[in-house]
Amino acid sequence: MEFGIQSSQKIGFSPWWWWWSNAISLVDRLSTRVVEFFRKVKKIGEDDPRRIGHSFKVGLALTVVSVVYYVTPLFDGFGVSTMWAVLTVVVVMEYTVGGTLSKGFNRAFATLLAGALGVAAHQIAIHCGEKGEPILLGLFVFALAAAATFSRFIPEIKARYDYGVTIFILTFSLVAVSSYRVDELVQLAHQRLSTIAIGVATCLCTSIFVCPIWAGEDLHKLVAGNLEKLASFLEGLSAECFAEKGGIENLEGKTFLQAYKSVLNSKPTEDSLANFARWEPSHGRFWFRHPWKQYLKIGALSRQCASSMDALAAYIITTSTKSKTNTDPDLQLRLRAACKEMAAESANTLKELSTAIRTITVPSAAGRHASAAVAAIGKWRDSLSDDTAVPEVLQVATTASLLADLVLRVQKIAGSVDELARLARFKRPEPPVHDAKIKPVADEESPSHLSITLEK
């Protein structure tokens, strides 16, 4: 050890060099993390530029509502309760118009109701004397807080009014408890209610009139996009697995096998958007009380379809590494053709349904593709109706069976989209316009006649 220390001193090593190298390493790590952070921020903004606009809207709303605090006449009218307007903007402002409306109306109505009940509880309690007043106020707080808390377990209230119930408990407790020490209770309740109304109105005006983001439109696009993702999986299956020169070997890593994955986890987003969309007024192509629940039904059927795709993809990947049996080539060709037709026609069905939802038009061509997919199921069953050795076709028959289940699920999605088109009064697609060209034709073999050509 002494020899090592002496050697390091001879060649010029000292403690300051150790600290310097560690400092450089620390700076490198920090700079790397800072660069990664800014790359992540840039990606978030590029994925959805509306997030940047929402951030500016929140800043704008807070700046506008702060005027109430800065202007002396307004501050004298509301007092320190002015800060409740700023707090309201912070907690009420949401990304979508529906989310802001939901929180805004919940907060305003809950504050109004709780404030009125709190003042009423105070007026009743003061008749019980100095000793009985706090006891009765405590009983009121216990009863209403317990009842309101239990109501949060009711699914309908939990979905739409959970925030309002929380604000109700908070406001009633504050008003009822503070009434024991505060003399001008009615004036205090009026000031707080007024400042909260100012905060809610600021949020609503900013959210609706400044680059609005509608939850209904996001839900509409999400459901249509999920159908496109399901169609991408079936298109890839048709092209990669069941084509004449295709096969199920070496499919790991193919992008189409991951196309449906995000659909499996779309339920929370769909439920949240549908809940907020119910609060939104008429806008664009969507009116108030638009059939948003039907979108949830389509989303549920899409997840069932994605679940079947997950089972099919897992089976295909598992069997792709196993040895194949010597199957009759003609039978193999017929089964692959039936599977290809099922996958291709189902993909066309989903694409037509997605386009119909995006353009809000009746899906006229989807039914034709769905019927062709069902007919392909009959061809597959006819191919196995002969005396066929089951072990020889077990693998392809299982694949076809899973595909047939997919076809039936796609049919249910088509029926649900048709129901949406009826409830939402989708417009019917305009028939194609053809230009007719008429010209005389005369030759030696046939008599003179007219030739009519139709062109789009």
Side-chain angles (χ1 to χ4, degrees):
M1 178 64 69
E2 294 178 357
F3 176 78
I5 295 174
Q6 293 174 359
S7 301
S8 64
Q9 291 176 349
K10 288 180 180 179
I11 61 178
F13 286 102
S14 58
W16 71 268
W17 176 258
W18 181 81
W19 288 107
W20 177 256
S21 61
N22 284 347
I24 294 176
S25 177
L26 179 60
V27 170
D28 289 340
R29 289 198 298 269
L30 287 176
S31 61
T32 301
R33 291 188 178 183
V34 169
V35 171
E36 290 178 354
F37 172 76
F38 279 105
R39 285 177 179 173
K40 185 181 296 185
V41 171
K42 181 181 178 182
K43 184 178 184 302
I44 292 174
E46 290 176 346
D47 290 343
D48 191 352
R50 299 179 302 173
R51 295 169 180 168
I52 301 175
H54 173 69
S55 303
F56 282 106
K57 286 163 60 177
V58 174
L60 175 63
L62 284 172
T63 303
V64 170
V65 83
S66 299
V67 174
V68 181
Y69 197 86
Y70 298 145
V71 178
T72 302
L74 294 176
F75 180 80
D76 292 339
F78 296 109
V80 294
S81 296
T82 307
M83 290 306 298
W84 283 93
V86 178
L87 179 62
T88 299
V89 172
V90 173
V91 298
V92 168
M93 196 73 177
E94 286 289 331
Y95 182 67
T96 62
V97 174
T100 304
L101 283 168
S102 173
K103 273 196 168 183
F105 282 119
N106 269 276
R107 186 175 181 84
F109 182 75
T111 302
L112 176 63
L113 180 61
L117 290 177
V119 173
H122 170 69
Q123 296 297 325
I124 295 174
I126 58 177
H127 294 291
C128 297
E130 184 177 352
K131 294 183 178 179
E133 182 181 357
I135 297 176
L136 190 57
L137 286 174
L139 290 175
F140 281 141
V141 171
F142 171 79
L144 285 178
T149 302
F150 182 79
S151 69
R152 297 178 66 188
F153 294 103
I154 302 174
E156 291 79 8
I157 294 179
K158 180 72 175 178
R160 302 194 66 181
Y161 308 109
D162 186 66
Y163 178 73
V165 175
T166 303
I167 296 300
F168 173 84
I169 297 172
L170 173 64
T171 305
F172 178 80
S173 301
L174 288 175
V175 173
V177 172
S178 62
S179 66
Y180 186 68
R181 301 290 184 185
V182 177
D183 296 330
E184 299 178 352
L185 181 63
V186 177
Q187 181 182 357
L188 177 63
H190 177 265
Q191 288 178 343
R192 290 192 176 179
L193 181 60
S194 300
T195 52
I196 289 174
I198 291 174
V200 170
T202 303
C203 290
L204 294 181
C205 292
T206 307
S207 183
I208 294 175
F209 299 111
V210 181
C211 300
I213 301 173
W214 303 100
E217 289 186 3
D218 284 357
L219 177 62
H220 186 82
K221 294 175 182 177
L222 176 63
V223 171
N226 285 343
L227 294 182
E228 285 186 357
K229 293 175 182 178
L230 300 181
S232 297
F233 172 82
L234 290 172
E235 279 186 332
L237 204 66
S238 175
E240 298 283 346
C241 297
F242 304 123
E244 293 183 4
K245 297 182 180 180
I248 62 174
E249 298 85 2
N250 302 320
L251 287 179
E252 292 189 22
K254 295 290 185 179
T255 55
F256 77 89
L257 292 175
Q258 307 295 325
Y260 64 90
K261 292 287 187 180
S262 61
V263 181
L264 294 170
N265 302 317
S266 63
K267 179 177 171 54
T269 305
E270 290 177 0
D271 290 343
S272 176
L273 290 175
N275 182 34
F276 292 152
R278 295 190 190 108
W279 291 90
E280 294 177 345
S282 299
H283 58 280
R285 299 170 294 181
F286 311 101
W287 63 85
F288 188 65
R289 301 188 67 83
H290 193 74
W292 301 115
K293 289 185 178 180
Q294 191 63 26
Y295 286 89
L296 296 181
K297 293 180 181 179
I298 297 174
L301 292 174
S302 298
R303 285 188 294 275
Q304 293 177 9
C305 189
S307 179
S308 298
M309 289 179 178
D310 196 39
L312 177 59
Y315 179 78
I316 290 175
I317 293 174
T318 303
T319 56
S320 63
T321 58
K322 296 182 180 179
S323 59
K324 312 298 184 297
T325 56
N326 295 325
T327 311
D328 180 7
D330 182 58
L331 177 60
Q332 180 84 1
L333 186 61
R334 280 182 286 152
L335 291 176
R336 288 168 66 90
C339 290
K340 177 180 173 60
E341 188 174 359
M342 281 191 283
E345 293 296 342
S346 297
N348 291 333
T349 302
L350 291 171
K351 288 170 64 178
E352 289 288 342
L353 295 176
S354 176
T355 302
I357 292 177
R358 287 188 185 278
T359 58
I360 311 186
T361 55
V362 176
S364 56
R368 184 175 67 254
H369 292 297
S371 301
V374 173
I377 297 178
K379 296 178 182 178
W380 160 65
R381 289 174 178 169
D382 292 341
S383 300
L384 296 178
S385 61
D386 302 331
D387 296 333
T388 307
V390 175
E392 292 185 358
V393 294
L394 181 60
Q395 179 178 328
V396 67
T398 304
T399 303
S401 177
L402 293 172
L403 258 178
D405 180 64
L406 262 177
V407 170
L408 298 179
R409 294 191 183 279
V410 170
Q411 247 194 336
K412 291 182 180 179
I413 295 176
S416 188
V417 174
D418 287 338
E419 180 66 13
L420 173 64
R422 185 185 66 82
L423 294 174
R425 298 196 291 272
F426 281 10
K427 60 183 180 182
R428 294 197 171 275
E430 297 180 359
V433 179
H434 299 279
D435 294 330
K437 292 185 177 180
I438 304 176
K439 60 179 181 179
V441 177
D443 52 36
E444 298 179 353
E445 298 180 357
S446 61
S448 300
H449 61 278
L450 293 177
S451 173
I452 301 177
T453 306
L454 295 179
E455 296 181 355
K456 293 185 179 181

